[in-house]
Amino acid sequence: MKHLKKVLIWYLFFAVYIAIFCGLFVGIPEEALHRSIFGHAREVSEIDWDNTHMTILLVLDALLTGMCIFTSSIIIDKRSDDRKIL
């Protein structure tokens, strides 16, 4: 059961990763991101922009998911420490 629990937790964090990515993809307007990076004057090919856009989203997603995993691991450790005291 211990290994199954680890696999289920991994799937839960993967679902969090997908949810955060979808939220970032919908929540960050492409035009505003393009203007903040390149300004109004620069033209960028579609392929280069897609690569830049996805890289930014994936890096932000990895950072936010890492913070979520870190926070949840601290909470789980505190709960397990509280159970040991009782």
Side-chain angles (χ1 to χ4, degrees):
M1 190 64 164
K2 188 175 186 178
H3 297 292
L4 179 63
K5 185 177 177 181
K6 289 180 182 181
V7 170
L8 291 175
I9 289 173
W10 188 90
Y11 278 124
L12 173 72
F13 286 131
F14 183 70
V16 168
Y17 180 81
I18 296 298
I20 290 174
F21 179 78
C22 291
L24 287 173
F25 192 80
V26 170
I28 298 177
E30 231 178 303
E31 293 85 17
L33 186 62
H34 186 275
R35 276 194 309 270
S36 68
I37 294 172
F38 296 114
H40 295 286
R42 182 154 181 215
E43 287 291 324
V44 180
S45 73
E46 188 175 331
I47 294 172
D48 289 339
W49 170 245
D50 286 342
N51 289 337
T52 304
H53 183 238
M54 281 306 189
T55 300
I56 290 169
L57 291 181
L58 291 173
V59 167
L60 284 173
D61 189 13
L63 291 172
L64 291 172
T65 304
M67 289 176 13
C68 178
I69 292 171
F70 182 73
T71 305
S72 63
S73 68
I74 289 174
I75 292 169
I76 290 170
D77 283 345
K78 283 186 178 183
R79 286 183 62 203
S80 67
D81 289 343
D82 291 342
R83 287 182 184 165
K84 289 179 185 176
I85 292 173
L86 298 175

